Amino acid sequence: MLNADLHCHSTVSDGTLTPEALAGRAKANGVELWALTDHDEIGGQQRALEAARQQGMKYLTGTEISVTFAGQTVHIVGLGFDHRDPALVEGLRRTRGGRGERAQEMSDGLAKVGIHGAYEGALKYVGNPELISRTHFARFLVEAGVCKDTPEVFRKYLTEGKPGFVPHRWARLQDAVQWISDAGGLAVIAHPARYGFTPNEEYALFTEFKAHGGRGVEVVTGSHSTLEAARYAETALEFGLAASRGSDFHSPDESHTDLGALPWLPGQLTPVWELLADRIQ
Ligand code: AMP
Ligand code: MN
Ligand code: MN
Ligand code: MN
């Protein structure tokens, strides 16, 4: 089996390592095929491609697009697209828009519960001014001693109903899938177990995703248990989707799953990289 890791984040979104440092770490961990999938952003793709080449690793272009579906945020990973495709570049630019304003509102919400200066604090952790995210706020709140780690920050401050949570409308599912597909890539539902959908909502997500041209699902990811991976292996077969594998690595200090350190894909599934053979660089 190929050690493919097709999901991780750099300083270009909410990771703490540069694309070059990630490439080095992936190689050291035995990754043979790599994709950098920054949130709503492909500004790191050229660097990642060159770093992969330097490490002697195969590369697929990648991104992770924030989508609003059934009132919730769903992540769609795109793989193997042309990272210069104008419609994709523009769609992602629009998807990023609004993050600055949202961050100001998050900061206002936190100020109401006595946490001041969170916007400025979060900004210190931001590598890309267009991509201020909840993760950067979480890092600041840990630094400020408000919480002991980032999961605690999310639990207490940054999820629905909590003081720093600001609802946001991201891209439409069909647009995200179309930008990726039209740019020659393959769209993948990221970490499906994380959404907390009812069975009906989840069925609707997979059905609509497929109808719009989506072709893959993450089965093995850093955010799935063994049981969840087995469950989504069945879903992949049921919907005729290829399977992806990715750590979702963000940081050596925060991520429990390191690059490439994942179980193998169950054998009966079609790996996404088989469908993307001619897109591997
Ligand atoms: P945003 O795109 O600004 O809404 O931020 C979403 C990011 O927050 C995700 O990509 C994760 O990196 C991080 N995140 C979301 N939920 C949690 C959580 N419960 N614990 C730690 N990090 C989280
Ligand atoms: Mn993230
Ligand atoms: Mn995600
Ligand atoms: Mn991710």
Side-chain angles (χ1 to χ4, degrees), residues 160-181:
E160 196 151 0
K162 301 298 156 67
F165 183 78
V166 174
H168 195 72
R169 184 156 288 279
W170 302 107
R172 292 194 309 168
L173 177 66
Q174 70 182 83
D175 291 334
V177 173
Q178 202 171 339
W179 298 332
I180 296 163
S181 309

Side-chain angles (χ1 to χ4, degrees), residues 9 13-14 39 64 75 133 135 248 250:
H9 300 273
S13 64
D14 62 348
H39 296 286
E64 181 176 22
H75 286 168
S133 90
T135 313
D248 206 358
H250 283 71

Side-chain angles (χ1 to χ4, degrees), residues 46-230:
Q46 193 57 37
R47 282 170 68 184
L49 170 62
E50 281 164 22
R53 210 170 266 159
Q54 203 145 37
Q55 297 287 348
M57 228 171 7
K58 292 184 200 149
Y59 190 74
L60 277 168
T61 52
T63 186
E64 181 176 22
I65 306 182
S66 312
V67 158
T68 300
F69 181 84
Q72 292 209 55
T73 301
V74 166
H75 286 168
I76 300 297
V77 162
L79 297 169
F81 48 79
D82 169 7
H83 66 286
R84 295 191 183 85
D85 182 87
L88 175 64
V89 169
E90 173 57 18
L92 291 179
R93 196 190 59 74
R94 265 189 284 125
T95 306
R96 289 193 298 276
R99 273 187 182 267
E101 213 167 289
R102 169 190 186 236
Q104 296 276 9
E105 287 177 41
M106 287 170 62
S107 189
D108 294 345
L110 291 168
K112 286 193 182 124
V113 295
I115 301 164
H116 298 280
Y119 179 75
E120 293 73 20
L123 267 189
K124 288 190 297 176
Y125 292 91
V126 167
N128 172 356
E130 286 183 41
L131 221 111
I132 182 161
S133 90
R134 285 187 289 163
T135 313
H136 303 112
F137 279 84
R139 290 184 186 135
F140 169 66
L141 264 66
V142 172
E143 176 205 302
V146 176
C147 292
K148 69 169 191 326
D149 57 22
T150 53
E152 187 189 343
V153 181
F154 276 89
R155 236 177 10 253
K156 292 188 176 164
Y157 294 101
L158 298 181
T159 40
E160 196 151 0
K162 301 298 156 67
F165 183 78
V166 174
H168 195 72
R169 184 156 288 279
W170 302 107
R172 292 194 309 168
L173 177 66
Q174 70 182 83
D175 291 334
V177 173
Q178 202 171 339
W179 298 332
I180 296 163
S181 309
D182 288 355
L186 187 144
V188 174
I189 298 177
H191 44 62
R194 290 285 71 82
Y195 305 126
F197 281 138
T198 64
N200 277 345
E201 287 168 338
E202 187 179 271
Y203 187 84
L205 170 65
F206 276 82
T207 305
E208 289 189 31
F209 173 74
K210 186 108 192 181
H212 295 315
R215 296 171 71 198
V217 56
E218 272 183 354
V219 170
V220 173
T221 116
S223 45
H224 279 177
S225 66
T226 312
L227 219 66
E228 287 166 339

